[in-house]
Amino acid sequence: MNELHTDPEATGNAPATRGRGTGTSSGIGTGIGTEASTTDGREPATASPASAPGPRPGTADPVKALMNRHHDLCARAVDHLEIAAGLEAHGVTDRTAARFRHRDVFSLAEEMYARFPRDPDAPPPHPAPAHRPGTGRPAPALLALLPGLLCAATVVAARSTDGRSRLALAVLGALLVGLAVRTLLRRGPLAGPHRAASGTRGWTFWLLTYAFLGDGLLGEGLTGGPDGPWSPATAPLLALALACAPAVWCAGLFTALAGRRLGTSRALDDFAASARPVLLGAFALFLGALLGLLALCGTLLGEHPAYAGALGALLLLARLLTAHGFPQAPAVALATAGAAEGLSLATVFASRLPGCSLLSVPVQTVTDAWGAGSVPALACGTAATALLLHATRTLTRASAHAAPHEPR
């Protein structure tokens, strides 16, 4: 008995007399040894088969200890895929699963799901909520098209009037478009149970405001103005509003295909490798649709809004990451892009102060080469590139497609 008790190779754990298992970086193995034996290495005198059905001393069951540690996860899971995603969120890798004598996390999750005791009289686990990433029901086509239709109606109405009527119609249309986008974000693939990080909405509003007014104000500032009202850019906002529909459809395509890959993958690395081209393909599909809409709106309205494609890409990636439970990186990216745009305006007007003329040299150099729209394009394009690299690492993890109650 003592030989069995002190042989770590026989149990797959550290010596039970120490009262702990091998453990991992996430603390999964903690408590494995204590569940299997007492402090003096002998079976309790009061134990009985009815009151202590646990494993015999020296034959600790590490999978059972893992199930006890993640009891809530196993109890709520509707299939083994939810357990696998939850384990990965807690830091369990395929290498860690090998310590539990399994080839990968999916195999370990299958055993945990099969062995978890469930009351036969209890109702089955509730299915995942409809807003769970990867399983959400796509928003109705009319709802996805509503922001674009309202924005188009607002542009037509504002261009057909003038004076106070134009201002009133523009404000009313902006409010209606905002409500439509808010409703759209609460349903479908772009919806999620996770709240956006602090400041995300404010920076998003600033970026959209700059797309509407910033280029004209920057151009006026570089030429010594503004001496009066400047023309706003309506084509970028119209194209972005119309792009809500392809954004919803591309997000739904990604989540649906990623969910299928999760069901057919046999290892975390396999899932990441198969989900990465799906993410990049959906992103490229949206970007192509957005550029087409920008070209169409620019032609109809006589503007050149192609630089707004970087802003659209940034907003889509930020929303995808937030919906899947990663709101911090989008908040930083949006704040960085917004601060860069604000700084460009501030340096242009601050250069008019005595002895500060050099402040506008960087912005002046960029705009002389590529125009005023290049400033937001560089700011948003850099932030979008960083978010895309981050998304290829986070949205291709199984934990990104876990049920919303699973911690990340």
Side-chain angles (χ1 to χ4, degrees):
M1 177 67 72
N2 290 334
E3 292 179 358
L4 286 175
H5 183 69
T6 58
D7 184 8
E9 298 296 332
T11 63
N13 299 284
T17 55
R18 294 185 180 181
R20 62 173 184 255
T22 57
T24 64
S25 59
S26 59
I28 293 171
T30 304
I32 293 178
T34 57
E35 184 182 6
S37 64
T38 60
T39 57
D40 59 358
R42 291 182 289 108
E43 201 169 355
T46 58
S48 65
S51 61
R56 294 172 54 193
T59 58
D61 187 348
V63 177
K64 181 178 180 181
L66 189 63
M67 291 165 55
N68 291 336
R69 180 174 179 81
H70 300 283
H71 179 275
D72 292 341
L73 170 64
C74 297
R76 287 191 295 254
V78 297
D79 53 33
H80 73 281
L81 297 178
E82 284 194 15
I83 298 180
L87 290 177
E88 192 211 26
H90 285 282
V92 181
T93 64
D94 291 333
R95 184 175 180 181
T96 308
R99 298 185 180 183
F100 296 90
R101 300 176 181 177
H102 283 273
R103 65 182 181 274
D104 51 50
V105 174
F106 291 91
S107 175
L108 175 61
E110 286 178 351
E111 180 179 350
M112 293 174 63
Y113 182 77
R115 291 181 54 185
F116 187 79
R118 290 182 173 85
D119 186 357
D121 297 330
H126 295 289
H131 57 253
R132 174 186 174 186
T135 61
R137 184 177 58 178
L142 181 60
L143 182 58
L145 293 171
L146 188 58
L149 294 176
L150 289 174
C151 188
T154 301
V155 171
V156 172
R159 287 187 164 233
S160 61
T161 57
D162 55 11
R164 294 183 178 180
S165 299
R166 172 180 293 182
L167 179 61
L169 288 173
V171 172
L172 178 61
L175 291 176
L176 292 177
V177 172
L179 290 175
V181 172
R182 181 188 176 100
T183 303
L184 181 62
L185 294 181
R186 292 179 178 272
R187 299 180 59 184
L190 291 178
H194 308 278
R195 292 186 177 182
S198 176
T200 299
R201 292 181 181 177
W203 285 114
T204 301
F205 179 77
W206 162 251
L207 290 171
L208 293 174
T209 302
Y210 188 95
F212 183 55
L213 300 171
D215 290 349
L217 179 59
L218 183 64
E220 292 287 334
L222 291 172
T223 57
D227 299 323
W230 64 94
S231 300
T234 55
L237 295 186
L238 177 58
L240 290 173
L242 292 171
C244 287
V248 168
W249 297 330
C250 291
L253 178 66
F254 164 66
T255 51
L257 293 180
R260 294 179 185 177
R261 297 294 193 277
L262 184 62
T264 58
S265 299
R266 297 308 309 165
L268 298 178
D269 291 340
D270 292 342
F271 173 71
S274 62
R276 191 171 293 112
V278 173
L279 172 63
L280 296 177
F283 175 73
L285 186 62
F286 166 77
L287 193 58
L290 175 60
L291 292 177
L293 289 172
L294 286 170
L296 176 62
C297 294
T299 301
L300 293 177
L301 300 178
E303 299 175 5
H304 303 282
Y307 289 122
L311 175 57
L314 176 61
L315 294 177
L316 174 69
L317 291 171
R319 187 59 198 177
L320 270 179
L321 286 166
T322 300
H324 285 267
F326 304 96
Q328 295 303 323
V332 174
L334 292 171
T336 302
E341 292 180 352
L343 184 62
S344 66
L345 286 174
T347 55
V348 167
F349 287 99
S351 65
R352 300 179 181 181
L353 298 175
C356 299
S357 58
L358 293 178
L359 291 177
S360 64
V361 172
V363 177
Q364 184 75 58
T365 302
V366 172
T367 55
D368 287 345
W370 299 295
S374 60
V375 173
L378 288 174
C380 295
T382 303
T385 301
L387 271 192
L388 181 60
L389 294 176
H390 179 68
T392 56
R393 295 193 301 269
T394 55
L395 296 183
T396 56
R397 287 159 43 183
S399 56
H401 304 272
H405 54 255
E406 291 306 323
R408 289 179 171 82

